[in-house]
Each structure stands twice: as structure tokens, then as C-alpha cells.
Amino acid sequence: RTGIMLIGLQGSGKTTTAAKLAWRLAREGNKPLLVAADMQRPAAVEQLCVLGEQIEIPVYSVPGGSPVEICQSADAEAKKRGRDVVIYDTAGRLAIDQTLMQELSAIKSAAQPGNIYLVVDAMIGQDAAQTAKAFNEQLGITGVILTKLDGDARGGAALSVREVTGAPVVFAGVGETTDKLEERSEEHTSELQSP
């Protein structure tokens, strides 16, 4: 099984991106499981469940569970359900803080995902580089997903994020619906990193 952990600031589009990624992987013949591990934003779990239902992908959630416990037990759930890709939707904050980073580090240790994708709102421009640098130093990101590229963003964020992290931009969200996720890197999806 392969794990994909989605990280990023609050409002970057992680939850929607998780569903888009799951939909895309399912179309490629994989059997994803979505994991609702954002216990910070009350509507996040509900949002992921609604999206999962729309695209007919199961969502694993543990009401009242801690994000680390949820992610730790998700692999066993995936095994039980015969799912081969586990997508962890984690919490974001408005700014990078120690509490968030500690939680994400603990999730990384517990779940040991093969892929850690930083989800970045393409509109945040120059802030993207600082954000990416901080997440990369703490967690070692393996790829970047740019969201909201259908707006006025010029993709300058992509270049600066790529520069500070060395991680490729693997996907770009180009619309709100689940089918609006474009592959951006030749070297990708065919070979998701297995842990």
C-alpha cells in the first residue's frame, strides 16, 4: 500500500484536493481510501465524507479521535477494505506554528506515508516560498500540488516552491470539480513512492 499525506495551510484546498486525487487514482485503476484527519476544522470531516460519497470512494474517520490515532489506524482499515492507496487529509492553520508542525511530524511517524504533498494555493505568490521552505524543513515534502490555477494566478508560486524545496509540482487544480486535477510532472503518478 502507498500512503499520500496532504499538508498545507488552512484554505489551500487540501480536502478538495484529496478527493480530486482519489478520483484520479481510482480512474487509473487504484483503490484509494480517504482519511479524514483534519480535526481542527469542524466541517472538514463532513466535507470529505460528502466528496467521498460523490466520487464513490470510502472515507475513514474516527469521531473524536486524535489525528495521529486516526492516521495510525488507517492502514489497517485500508488493508481490511482492500484499498491500495491511503490519502491522509491533515489539518492546516492560518500560519505555520509549532503545534501544527508537531502534529504533522507525529502523523508522518505514525503513518509513514511514501509521499508527502504540499498543497499550495497558487494565489499566495511570494508567501508560498516561505511556507514551502518551513514545511519541507520539518517534513521533507516529495511533491507539490498547486490549487486554484483556474483563477488569476500566474504560477509564479510554482517556481519559487520548486526552488526552495527541490520537490516537483506533481498536480495542479484547475477547477472546483473533482475531475479538475491535472498532472504536472512527467515523472509522476505511474510511480507513487511505496513506503
Side-chain angles (χ1 to χ4, degrees):
R1 259 180 314 283
T2 296
I4 301 172
M5 181 176 169
L6 298 182
I7 61 171
L9 295 180
Q10 190 176 317
S12 60
K14 283 185 304 302
T15 302
T16 306
T17 298
K20 288 179 177 182
L21 194 54
W23 183 84
R24 186 186 179 100
L25 290 166
R27 298 252 333 223
E28 291 172 0
N30 294 288
K31 295 198 269 313
L33 174 69
L34 287 161
V35 179
D38 180 354
M39 306 310 277
Q40 289 296 319
R41 199 165 55 89
V45 174
E46 191 182 331
Q47 181 189 357
L48 195 62
C49 289
V50 167
L51 289 167
E53 208 169 287
Q54 285 171 2
I55 58 174
E56 298 177 356
I57 304 280
V59 176
Y60 178 62
S61 68
V62 180
S66 83
V68 176
E69 290 164 354
I70 293 166
C71 292
Q72 197 162 20
S73 58
D75 192 57
E77 181 70 13
K79 188 177 182 180
K80 194 170 82 184
R81 292 186 185 212
R83 311 311 284 184
D84 58 6
V85 182
V86 183
I87 301 171
Y88 303 92
D89 179 29
T90 67
R93 304 279 195 286
L94 292 173
I96 289 173
D97 66 26
Q98 231 14 69
T99 313
L100 171 67
M101 288 307 196
Q102 285 165 351
E103 179 178 289
L104 293 174
S105 290
I107 289 172
K108 179 184 175 182
S109 297
Q112 299 190 328
N115 304 272
I116 298 178
Y117 290 164
L118 176 66
V119 180
V120 181
D121 180 340
M123 314 251 229
I124 70 167
Q126 288 315 301
D127 289 346
Q130 277 312 104
T131 300
K133 189 170 190 277
F135 276 112
N136 191 44
E137 283 170 358
Q138 187 91 23
L139 298 155
I141 64 175
T142 60
V144 177
I145 299 178
L146 284 179
T147 60
K148 307 176 192 174
L149 265 177
D150 50 322
D152 298 329
R154 300 280 171 264
L159 298 174
S160 50
V161 167
R162 174 92 170 101
E163 197 172 304
V164 299
T165 64
V169 174
V170 289
F171 294 105
V174 293
E176 286 181 30
T177 55
T178 40
D179 59 341
K180 300 293 187 210
L181 187 71
E182 291 181 355
E183 199 168 339
R184 286 294 158 118
S185 164
E186 325 64 60
E187 70 226 51
H188 216 66
T189 45
S190 51
E191 41 175 289
L192 282 170
Q193 313 268 323
S194 287

